[in-house]
Structures are given as C-alpha cells and as structure tokens.
Amino acid sequence: MKETLRYLAGIAGPSGYGSKSTAQQVAQNCSCSVDPRRLTAIITGATSGIGAETARVMAERGVRVVIAARDLKKAAQVSDRIHKDINPNAEIMLFQIDLSSLASVKRFCSRFLALGLPLNILINNAGIFSQNLELSEDKIEMTFATNYLGHFLLTEMLVEKMIETAEQTGIQGRIINLSSVIHSWVKTDCFNFNQLLNPNKYNGTRAYAQSKVANILHAKEIARQLKARNANVTINAVHPGIVKTGIIRAHKGFVTDSLFFIASKLLKSTSQGASTTCYVALSPQAQGMSGKYFADCNESNCSALANDEVVAQRLWRQTRALIRGRLKYQKPC
C-alpha cells in the first residue's frame, strides 16, 4: 500500500526522482562529468513512445543517437522532428533492423560495427504485444523473438565494442533492457524454454510477461559475466511504468472498457515513462550499478523467478545454443 501511495503521489525515492519525474528533468539534472557529446547510444524501437522520447532527450543533450528501427520512414520522421524542434545540430543515424529476425539483427550489427564508431549506451527498448499467435521468419513465437531473442543477439554482438569503448575512453558503458512489472505474473512452472519458442496454448498477455521475465534474467546473467571479466560495462533492466503507448492500446483487448478507463487514470505520460531509461543510461548515481531492476528511477525488487541466478544461467545457455544453431544454417548476410 505504501508503494502504491508513493507512486500515485509521485513521491521521490532515494535517487531524488519518482513516478512523476520526466526524462527531461532527469537528463537536465545529470551533472555528470562526461560530456554527452562524447557519447554514442543505440536505441531500438525509437520511432514512437518511450523510445522516441528517449532519443529526443538524448539528442537534445548532444548524444550521438543511432535509431535502430523496423520502419525507416517513421525513424526519419522522428529524426526530422528532433532537428526541427529540439536540436538542429543533433547527430542522428538511422539503421533498419527487424528484431524478430536473427539475420536482420546480425546484418545491423555488421553494418554498425563496420563504421568504427564507439558505443557507450545500448538501449534494448523495442517491444511488441501480439494478441494472436504469430511466428517469426525463424519459426519462433513473435513476441519472444522480438522482445527477447533479438535483443539477446544484439547485445552479444555489440558488447565487445562496448567493452573496447569503455577501455579506450574511461567512460563506463551502459546497457538497458526494457522490462515490465507484468513480469511478476509469471510463475516458475510456466517458464519453459521450448514453450516460450512455440507455445501449445497461446495467450498474448502471458507471452508478453514471459518475454519481460527473460529481459530481466538476461540482464542478471550478462551483469554476472561482465563482472567476472572486470569489464567497465553495466547492464540493468527497467520498468518504465504503465505508459500511454501503442502496446497499451494493443493490451486493451484483454480488459473490459471500464477497467481500462480506471487503469488509464494511472498511466504515465511518455516523458515520465522514458525517465527511468534516461536515469539508468545517464545519471552518475547509476554508476557501477549492474544486474539491477529499476522502476520510477529507483532500484526496485523484481520477482523471485526473475532474480533466480540458476534460471538466468540456464536461459542464457539455451538461448545462445538456439541462436548459434539457427545462424549456422543461414546464408551469410
């Protein structure tokens, strides 16, 4: 009850921010010693909602922003708005990526790495919600393929560049996985890897929640590996809050109109939803924090399943084996 009241009232937590804080406020108050113009950030799914707002706020501060998007036309519109309304000198690069396709993710990484640019921040933001069962081109359930598998491969292919950049610049690299409080709905006995790939009985809400558990487990395991290597790169998961985005509109199908009306009164604005991502990506207060779960710009508690190191390691091994097996039989990009 106390946490609910804190959320509704927007009371700030230990970080000085709360549920009502905006991405703009967080970014402006980041009195970090690092010049944002020295930073390069990749943001997936930055064509609308939280992703677009994150790109806007970072570009305003002078961060070089790489928008990795499925729809380049929409990405160009976001870039044009930033140049027109926010920062005419913003350095924004647009790349096509379909996170549900392992081949597309591999192609994007190859093209980005070929540029020889540094990489300080990776924001695994893109996400979908599908009410009906759909399969990706790799014959994997679409929500899991897009929200988790694609970002897993993206991170694996870019993490060495991030470690290298951190070593060369002395600036800590930061990876952020977008998750959701809905991850806590998933129980251990319902988290089976083979069923995640090809469920016998599909439920859109369950599939979305399972992908969000996987995002946290991924952050936990990669954080462990990075720490073991003494790498100056962190990875964390964030819950943006329940935000007025396209995913929420898609979710409307599983609640009654009256419940949605009540819930809508608790929704965050897009800028409030992007605040936690910007906090973990930019704030000096988040320096050195890794393998954590954040909500409302403060460290928070995730479910017992999402915090299970054994499950996290097993999921990582299963995912890596799956991806390597699928890529082995694909034609070179």
Side-chain angles (χ1 to χ4, degrees):
M1 177 62 75
K2 183 183 293 186
E3 291 301 316
T4 301
L5 292 175
R6 179 183 293 275
Y7 172 84
L8 293 174
I11 299 173
S15 70
Y17 303 105
S19 62
K20 303 299 183 185
S21 299
T22 66
Q24 186 78 15
Q25 292 169 339
V26 170
Q28 286 178 341
N29 294 336
C30 281
S31 56
C32 54
S33 57
V34 178
D35 183 348
R37 291 172 296 182
R38 295 178 61 195
L39 302 177
T40 299
I42 292 177
I43 308 172
T44 67
T47 55
S48 63
I50 298 169
E53 176 66 8
T54 301
R56 185 188 72 81
V57 169
M58 289 197 170
E60 182 177 16
R61 289 183 57 79
V63 177
R64 177 195 285 132
V65 174
V66 178
I67 297 179
R70 184 172 52 183
D71 190 329
L72 282 181
K73 183 178 180 181
K74 290 182 178 179
Q77 291 172 348
V78 171
S79 178
D80 290 345
R81 284 197 297 271
I82 292 173
H83 284 125
K84 179 181 177 181
D85 302 333
I86 305 298
N87 182 359
N89 299 315
E91 187 173 356
I92 302 174
M93 306 175 70
L94 310 180
F95 284 84
Q96 201 280 332
I97 190 172
D98 178 354
L99 283 154
S100 72
S101 163
L102 298 177
S104 178
V105 174
K106 184 179 179 182
R107 188 161 50 245
F108 163 80
C109 291
S110 296
R111 289 174 177 171
F112 174 78
L113 293 172
L115 297 176
L117 294 173
L119 181 58
N120 308 94
I121 301 169
L122 172 61
I123 300 177
N124 293 322
N125 168 83
I128 65 166
F129 169 84
S130 180
Q131 293 187 28
N132 302 310
L133 176 62
E134 299 178 67
L135 296 181
S136 70
E137 68 177 42
D138 299 300
K139 307 304 180 186
I140 296 168
E141 190 277 310
M142 188 66 78
T143 302
F144 193 68
T146 303
N147 296 2
Y148 169 69
L149 283 180
H151 285 125
F152 181 102
L153 178 59
L154 184 69
T155 302
E156 181 168 271
M157 294 192 69
L158 295 178
V159 71
E160 294 302 325
K161 169 56 70 174
M162 296 191 71
I163 293 172
E164 175 188 292
T165 300
E167 290 176 346
Q168 293 176 347
T169 64
I171 301 171
Q172 186 172 82
R174 301 189 186 189
I175 305 169
I176 295 94
N177 284 358
L178 270 286
S179 185
S180 170
V181 70
I182 200 175
H183 83 270
S184 61
W185 294 8
V186 182
K187 305 304 178 186
T188 303
D189 57 359
C190 295
F191 196 75
N192 177 280
F193 190 68
N194 290 329
Q195 283 298 306
L196 297 176
L197 301 178
N198 292 287
N200 291 329
K201 294 182 179 179
Y202 182 77
N203 177 284
T205 304
R206 180 172 60 231
Y208 182 77
Q210 289 169 333
S211 74
K212 294 301 156 182
V213 173
N215 290 145
I216 301 175
L217 290 167
H218 177 232
K220 297 279 186 182
E221 174 56 17
I222 299 302
R224 186 190 68 80
Q225 294 180 16
L226 290 168
K227 182 179 180 180
R229 295 179 59 181
N230 199 30
N232 190 23
V233 176
T234 64
I235 178 170
N236 294 286
V238 304
H239 164 53
I242 306 175
V243 187
K244 302 168 187 174
T245 66
I247 284 183
I248 286 295
R249 288 191 291 273
H251 272 72
K252 194 175 179 181
F254 75 85
V255 294
T256 65
D257 288 342
S258 58
L259 282 177
F260 184 82
F261 174 79
I262 295 172
S264 68
K265 302 306 176 183
L266 306 178
L267 297 183
K268 286 186 174 185
S269 68
T270 302
S271 186
Q272 290 168 342
S275 64
T276 305
T277 298
C278 289
Y279 173 79
V280 178
L282 297 173
S283 175
Q285 292 176 274
Q287 180 80 10
M289 300 185 75
S290 195
K292 307 298 184 183
Y293 174 72
F294 288 81
D296 299 330
C297 302
N298 288 274
E299 185 180 348
S300 188
N301 296 318
C302 57
S303 70
L305 171 60
N307 208 34
D308 192 318
E309 292 183 4
V310 174
V311 175
Q313 291 180 33
R314 182 170 65 240
L315 178 64
W316 181 85
R317 288 194 302 268
Q318 291 172 318
T319 305
R320 198 161 191 252
L322 171 75
I323 290 177
R324 288 194 167 191
R326 296 298 173 95
L327 290 179
K328 181 179 180 180
Y329 296 105
Q330 288 182 355
K331 295 179 181 180
C333 296

